Amino acid sequence: MDNPDDWDPLRHPGHYFSRIARGLTRVGDVRLRNLGLATAQLPVLTALKDGGELSQKELAKWAKVEQPTMAQMLSRMERDGLVRRVPDPEDKRSHLISLTDATVEKLPAGRAILRQGNSEMTKGLTDDEIKTLVSLLRHVLENVDSMEP
Amino acid sequence: MDNPDDWDPLRHPGHYFSRIARGLTRVGDVRLRNLGLATAQLPVLTALKDGGELSQKELAKWAKVEQPTMAQMLSRMERDGLVRRVPDPEDKRSHLISLTDATVEKLPAGRAILRQGNSEMTKGLTDDEIKTLVSLLRHVLENVDSMEP
DNA sequence: TATACAAACATAGGAACCTATGCAATGGAC
DNA sequence: GTCCATTGCATAGGTTCCTATGTTTGTATA
């Protein structure tokens, strides 16, 4: 009930997740900065990479962030010329978001940076270990998503 | 070189880490809120739980965050009565930070919440799988920490 | 049709992270 | 002892996340 190990961060997977995520974001953001991109924008780029037009709501759902978070990010991306927002002809409350041509041109370079980071992150792990890791991560994510506050 | 899977978030462990970390933070913060604690404060609580007094610099290093991040968090924690800062008699630039009695009294309840979250997070995994996961996470963290921007 | 509910977005406010930079105390070189 | 680089913090500015709440448009119901 009061095991001292409870407070040992090394026994808390949560601590690892937080530190790995922060580290990846920090390194990724620096590497993407020259391109004018950021790691938090990757889900948006992914969703729109083939010329698609999605609403803010759809993008928030895809990226698994709350609506105000996506609203702010799209504002910044629009300010920086990364995306375009045109009124949705079928719903005056909504806008359709798409990538600008300049952004599409940046995608290949972004791809290379991502691939590089991905391989550095799993350096020293066998293909089987990586598969195991992804499978365990998937399981944990499912548990986390089903956790009630 | 331009494999479309490069943009598939399901193939990017980084995406899992980010989503798991965010999910754990969100749920953990809600559950700790009644106690007046937050997940980001856990490393500080851990470091000082036995009555220790550490400097801001030492706490930042322990929590693996930058110095300004720790400065801000300690300000909030002091504002909320969680920690105390007394001048370091041996270095007038520095203060020694310690937990208040009120905070120490909250620790057992915090422990219970942590243990509960930890078990929910790994629900459905065997002890061996959890051990494997932690070992892989440790490996990835090491890689991430050694990544150059 | 009028009213009420729901949906899409905007805005406010705050926490936690970062980099860049400034300031004051310290401590070593001379 | 004086000078100067280093160290410990503080502050500024910005991004990404959250919750809570308001506004406008769309939809369905009485």
Side-chain angles (χ1 to χ4, degrees), chain A:
Chain A
M1 266 304 160
D2 256 80
N3 186 336
D5 286 347
D6 287 349
W7 284 100
D8 180 357
L10 298 182
R11 294 181 57 82
H12 286 291
H15 195 245
Y16 287 100
F17 289 119
S18 145
R19 279 187 48 198
I20 291 172
R22 272 197 290 124
L24 288 174
T25 300
R26 191 166 38 84
V27 173
D29 281 347
V30 170
R31 292 183 179 181
L32 288 170
R33 191 151 62 184
N34 291 340
L35 283 172
L37 303 177
T39 54
Q41 301 165 350
L42 294 178
V44 174
L45 300 177
T46 305
L48 304 177
K49 70 180 163 54
D50 294 321
E53 299 186 316
L54 294 180
S55 70
Q56 180 186 113
K57 164 96 172 192
E58 291 166 320
L59 287 172
K61 185 178 178 184
W62 168 269
K64 297 278 169 92
V65 297
E66 298 302 319
Q67 167 261 321
T69 301
M70 183 54 70
Q72 282 187 323
M73 193 162 63
L74 291 176
S75 288
R76 287 189 298 267
M77 292 179 77
E78 189 179 25
R79 177 199 65 191
D80 297 340
L82 293 175
V83 299
R84 210 177 3 237
R85 310 165 89 152
V86 301
D88 183 340
E90 295 180 357
D91 189 335
K92 283 177 189 149
R93 298 169 299 179
S94 184
H95 287 250
L96 294 175
I97 292 113
S98 56
L99 301 186
T100 62
D101 294 348
T103 306
V104 173
E105 286 169 18
K106 294 174 178 177
L107 295 184
R111 265 184 266 258
I113 290 173
L114 284 194
R115 211 179 27 249
Q116 169 68 16
N118 203 51
S119 105
E120 288 177 38
M121 179 171 72
T122 54
K123 193 172 54 183
L125 297 180
T126 66
D127 283 354
D128 270 357
E129 286 174 321
I130 295 174
K131 262 171 101 171
T132 301
L133 173 61
V134 169
S135 146
L136 290 170
L137 290 178
R138 224 186 276 257
H139 193 111
V140 170
L141 177 56
E142 222 172 283
N143 283 341
V144 170
D145 278 344
S146 72
M147 280 169 79
E148 292 296 337

Side-chain angles (χ1 to χ4, degrees), chain A residues 6-7 31 111 115, chain B residues 6-7 31 111 115 148:
Chain A
D6 287 349
W7 284 100
R31 292 183 179 181
R111 265 184 266 258
R115 211 179 27 249
Chain B
D6 287 348
W7 285 100
R31 292 181 177 181
R111 266 184 265 259
R115 211 177 29 248
E148 292 294 338

Side-chain angles (χ1 to χ4, degrees), chain B residues 110-149:
Chain B
R111 266 184 265 259
I113 290 173
L114 283 194
R115 211 177 29 248
Q116 170 68 17
N118 203 53
S119 106
E120 288 178 38
M121 178 172 72
T122 54
K123 194 173 52 185
L125 297 180
T126 66
D127 284 354
D128 270 357
E129 285 174 323
I130 295 175
K131 262 171 99 171
T132 301
L133 173 61
V134 170
S135 147
L136 290 169
L137 290 179
R138 225 186 277 259
H139 192 110
V140 170
L141 177 56
E142 222 172 284
N143 283 342
V144 170
D145 278 344
S146 72
M147 281 170 78
E148 292 294 338

Side-chain angles (χ1 to χ4, degrees), chain B residues 18 22 26 33 55-57 67-68 71-72 85 91 93-95:
Chain B
S18 143
R22 272 197 291 122
R26 191 166 39 83
R33 192 150 61 185
S55 71
Q56 181 186 112
K57 165 94 173 193
Q67 168 261 319
Q72 282 188 325
R85 310 166 89 150
D91 190 333
R93 296 169 300 181
S94 184
H95 287 250

